């Protein structure tokens, strides 16, 4: 493999990540709608605690730095929460 081939692979992976984030945002919008219909708070500290444990376990499973992964998902969850609040 050469440098350009590897860079193209990275770009393809980045595209997949962005597509997944867009899909996640759409789902978050639907979740926000359901929460409003049910009268449920947007922020659920217990859910986020469970997700953080899940992300920590996954990071270890895939040999990634848990702190790094938790930082990424903290941003993703914050965005999801904001999406749920706006719609």
């Amino acid at each position: 493999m050469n440098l350009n081939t590897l860079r193209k692979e990275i770009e393809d992976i980045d595209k997949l990540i962005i597509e997944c984030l867009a899909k996640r945002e759409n789902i978050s919008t639907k979740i926000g709608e359901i929460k409003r219909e049910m009268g449920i708070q947007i922020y659920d500290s217990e859910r986020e605690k469970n997700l953080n444990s899940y992300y920590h376990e996954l990071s270890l499973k895939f040999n990634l730095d848990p702190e790094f992964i938790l930082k990424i998902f903290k941003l993703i969850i914050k965005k999801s929460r904001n999406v749920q609040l706006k719609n």
Side-chain angles (χ1 to χ4, degrees):
M1 277 195 195
N2 65 37
L3 181 60
N4 289 333
T5 302
L6 293 172
R7 285 179 172 166
K8 175 65 174 128
E9 279 189 52
I10 291 287
E11 289 172 6
D12 292 344
I13 292 168
D14 291 346
K15 180 181 180 216
L16 287 172
I17 291 169
I18 291 170
E19 288 173 350
C20 287
L21 288 171
K23 184 176 181 179
R24 191 181 199 287
E25 188 167 312
N26 288 332
I27 293 169
S28 291
T29 299
K30 292 175 186 174
I31 289 172
E33 292 168 359
I34 291 170
K35 284 181 176 180
R36 270 189 300 289
E37 289 172 6
M38 296 177 69
I40 298 173
Q41 293 274 338
I42 296 298
Y43 177 69
D44 182 345
S45 62
E46 190 64 30
R47 171 73 175 150
E48 289 190 20
K49 180 181 171 185
N50 291 338
L51 284 174
N52 285 336
S53 294
Y54 174 69
Y55 301 142
H56 186 268
E57 290 174 20
L58 283 177
S59 66
L60 295 176
K61 178 180 178 181
F62 290 100
N63 199 29
L64 294 169
D65 177 12
E67 186 177 326
F68 172 70
I69 297 301
L70 290 174
K71 283 180 183 179
I72 291 171
F73 276 98
K74 184 176 181 179
L75 290 171
I76 292 171
I77 290 171
K78 182 177 180 180
K79 174 62 175 166
S80 293
R81 206 180 310 124
N82 289 338
V83 165
Q84 290 179 25
L85 286 168
K86 287 181 183 178
N87 296 315

